Amino acid sequence: MLTICNGMGRSGSTWQYNVTRRILETVHGIDVGRGSYEVEVITEEQFTNTLNNPYHHVIKMHDVYPRTLLELDSPNLRLLYIYRDLRDVAASVVTKWQLRDEELME
């Protein structure tokens, strides 16, 4: 079983991942969190093995892994997507990286 927490940068995806992981750990009594992954580092074999693994795995990604869309009907996959008002995302980016308006727009 695989749960993927998705959301653009500064959208609250880390919070979403932590809440999801904590709920599942409390319910199942086991460690299910596997951390954050970049799409480029996951192979098809890893995705398939994790999806079909009897243990529950929760991962966080900012991009949607291409194969995820093909597996949406799978009983072994849960995709959670978080979104945030773009004005809040922009304010968070400016605060975190001290960007000027011109840099933010780029």
Side-chain angles (χ1 to χ4, degrees), residues 3 18 21 29-30 74 77 102:
T3 298
N18 286 326
R21 177 185 54 81
I30 57 172
S74 170
L77 177 67
E102 302 80 33

Side-chain angles (χ1 to χ4, degrees), residues 82-96:
I82 190 167
Y83 65 93
R84 185 176 180 191
D85 187 302
L86 287 178
R87 294 169 292 190
D88 293 327
V89 171
S92 178
V93 167
V94 168
T95 300
K96 180 157 179 79

Side-chain angles (χ1 to χ4, degrees), residues 38-54:
E38 297 296 327
V39 168
E40 302 83 31
V41 301
I42 297 177
T43 66
E44 283 285 323
E45 182 180 8
Q46 288 172 319
F47 185 87
T48 300
N49 289 343
T50 304
L51 185 66
N52 297 320
N53 191 302

Side-chain angles (χ1 to χ4, degrees), residues 4-101:
I4 301 174
C5 297
N6 270 125
M8 68 183 289
R10 311 308 303 159
S11 67
S13 57
T14 299
W15 175 84
Q16 175 202 44
Y17 165 78
N18 286 326
V19 169
T20 302
R21 177 185 54 81
R22 184 70 177 128
I23 289 170
L24 291 171
E25 287 173 350
T26 300
V27 170
H28 293 287
I30 57 172
D31 178 25
V32 298
R34 301 295 176 251
S36 183
Y37 291 86
E38 297 296 327
V39 168
E40 302 83 31
V41 301
I42 297 177
T43 66
E44 283 285 323
E45 182 180 8
Q46 288 172 319
F47 185 87
T48 300
N49 289 343
T50 304
L51 185 66
N52 297 320
N53 191 302
Y55 298 104
H56 203 125
H57 302 273
V58 179
I59 65 173
K60 174 191 166 222
M61 303 176 81
H62 286 294
D63 296 315
V64 176
Y65 188 71
R67 176 119 170 266
T68 303
L69 301 176
L70 300 174
E71 298 287 347
L72 285 177
D73 291 333
S74 170
N76 294 334
L77 177 67
R78 299 291 180 268
L79 178 63
L80 306 176
Y81 190 85
I82 190 167
Y83 65 93
R84 185 176 180 191
D85 187 302
L86 287 178
R87 294 169 292 190
D88 293 327
V89 171
S92 178
V93 167
V94 168
T95 300
K96 180 157 179 79
W97 291 298
Q98 291 79 43
L99 297 180
R100 296 185 319 249
D101 290 341

